[in-house]
């Protein structure tokens, strides 16, 4: 079975541009998570969805960040406008259901904002 | 104070050595605990869950002390392939609510 799929794998953009990161969770998983990893702050939860509904977005840094999950097989994380401090690796993860706590991570998107 | 604290290392050990990692967490309401492994430039992957009674998976042993809010991971007979960063993870939620808090990780380098 395919794991969590993320695209693009690498993104280089200039400050002020809009960036859209994409994620396809494992089929049948009810939960989807967006994380950000930096050297300074480690791995941080940004937002998570349960059955396509956002449950906790307290980790979203500011209004420049938004996330959507229009259906069970697709989610986006958008940054508009991007800033150099947004440079990080963004991971998407999914989890089967309420009784299973293991999260399965995608390969990540490496974002560099110049 | 960070919610999950780990010694960043690196731990440099020879093959065959036994190495132990420690982790403390600050939120006494934490519900469940895990160790994840992250290879360089890769995604984190679950290594093992940590249970109150302690649990073992091959060469890996995890222990939890709720009273002291302390978690440990012991690796016996280290292999070169064990070289990675080990992330201590605490789940603040339960059931449907799921918020994993990751430690900064402890780096392990196993050399020949």
């Amino acid at each position: 079975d395919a794991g969590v799929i993320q695209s693009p794998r690498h993104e280089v953009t200039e400050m002020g541009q809009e960036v859209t990161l994409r994620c396809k969770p494992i089929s049948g998983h009810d939960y989807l998570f967006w994380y950000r990893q930096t050297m300074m702050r480690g791995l941080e939860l940004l937002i998570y969805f349960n059955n396509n509904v956002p449950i906790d977005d307290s980790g979203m840094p500011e209004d420049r960040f938004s996330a959507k999950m229009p259906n069970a097989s697709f989610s986006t994380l958008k940054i508009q406008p991007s800033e150099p401090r947004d440079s990080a690796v963004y991971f998407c993860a999914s989890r089967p259901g309420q009784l299973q706590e293991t999260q399965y991570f995608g390969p990540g998107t490496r974002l560099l904002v110049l | 104070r960070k919610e999950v604290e780990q010694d960043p290392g690196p731990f440099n050990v020879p093959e065959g050595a036994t190495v132990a990692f420690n982790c403390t967490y600050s939120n006494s309401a934490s519900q469940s605990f895990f160790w994840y492994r992250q290879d360089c430039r890769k995604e984190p992957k679950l290594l093992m869950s940590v249970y109150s009674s302690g649990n073992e998976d091959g060469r890996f042993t995890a222990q939890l002390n709720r009273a002291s809010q302390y978690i440990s991971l012991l690796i016996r007979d280290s292999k070169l392939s064990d070289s990675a960063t080990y992330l201590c993870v605490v789940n603040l939620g339960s059931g449907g609510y799921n918020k994993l808090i990751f430690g900064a990780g402890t780096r392990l380098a196993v050399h020949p």
Side-chain angles (χ1 to χ4, degrees):
Chain A
D1 286 341
V4 175
I5 299 171
Q6 291 187 246
S7 65
R9 295 291 305 276
H10 303 270
E11 178 81 27
V12 180
T13 191
E14 292 187 342
M15 183 174 64
Q17 296 298 305
E18 178 179 295
V19 175
T20 299
L21 311 182
R22 296 173 177 79
C23 175
K24 176 178 168 56
I26 294 171
S27 179
H29 282 197
D30 294 338
Y31 292 83
L32 184 141
F33 305 82
W34 282 102
Y35 291 89
R36 176 173 70 175
Q37 187 172 37
T38 61
M39 288 293 292
M40 290 295 294
R41 300 175 66 90
L43 197 60
E44 303 173 285
L45 177 66
L46 300 177
I47 184 172
Y48 84 89
F49 297 83
N50 178 210
N51 292 322
N52 314 338
V53 176
I55 302 300
D56 185 342
D57 65 354
S58 59
M60 295 287 263
E62 48 199 272
D63 292 346
R64 297 185 297 107
F65 285 70
S66 63
K68 293 182 180 179
M69 192 165 185
N71 58 61
S73 59
F74 183 66
S75 177
T76 59
L77 178 68
K78 189 174 291 187
I79 308 172
Q80 166 63 18
S82 58
E83 297 182 2
R85 60 191 167 123
D86 302 330
S87 298
V89 181
Y90 291 81
F91 288 104
C92 176
S94 69
R95 169 187 162 185
Q98 186 170 333
L99 298 180
Q100 285 203 43
E101 293 185 287
T102 303
Q103 294 187 15
Y104 299 84
F105 283 74
T109 295
R110 294 186 173 274
L111 173 65
L112 177 61
V113 183
L114 302 173
Chain B
R1 183 185 171 190
K2 291 182 181 178
E3 293 190 82
V4 179
E5 297 211 52
Q6 296 181 249
D7 182 339
F11 284 60
N12 293 301
V13 302
E15 276 186 289
T18 295
V19 61
F21 304 140
N22 302 319
C23 167
T24 58
Y25 60 95
S26 60
N27 192 328
S28 59
S30 300
Q31 297 291 322
S32 50
F33 310 87
F34 310 90
W35 285 99
Y36 274 68
R37 170 191 168 133
Q38 186 172 24
D39 292 302
C40 187
R41 299 180 73 83
K42 298 286 190 179
E43 70 273 21
K45 291 183 180 178
L46 178 68
L47 178 66
M48 59 196 301
S49 300
V50 187
Y51 302 116
S52 297
S53 54
N55 49 297
E56 193 173 302
D57 183 1
R59 299 181 292 108
F60 299 83
T61 301
Q63 293 198 312
L64 167 66
N65 184 323
R66 284 188 183 268
S68 302
Q69 296 181 199
Y70 170 91
I71 305 162
S72 66
L73 177 68
L74 183 77
I75 304 175
R76 291 182 300 278
D77 189 22
S78 300
K79 311 291 184 191
L80 294 175
S81 57
D82 293 335
S83 298
T85 297
Y86 291 82
L87 304 169
C88 178
V89 185
V90 169
N91 184 5
L92 296 184
S94 62
Y97 183 69
N98 191 242
K99 183 163 186 174
L100 296 187
I101 306 297
F102 286 77
T106 299
R107 203 150 54 88
L108 172 65
V110 182
H111 56 82

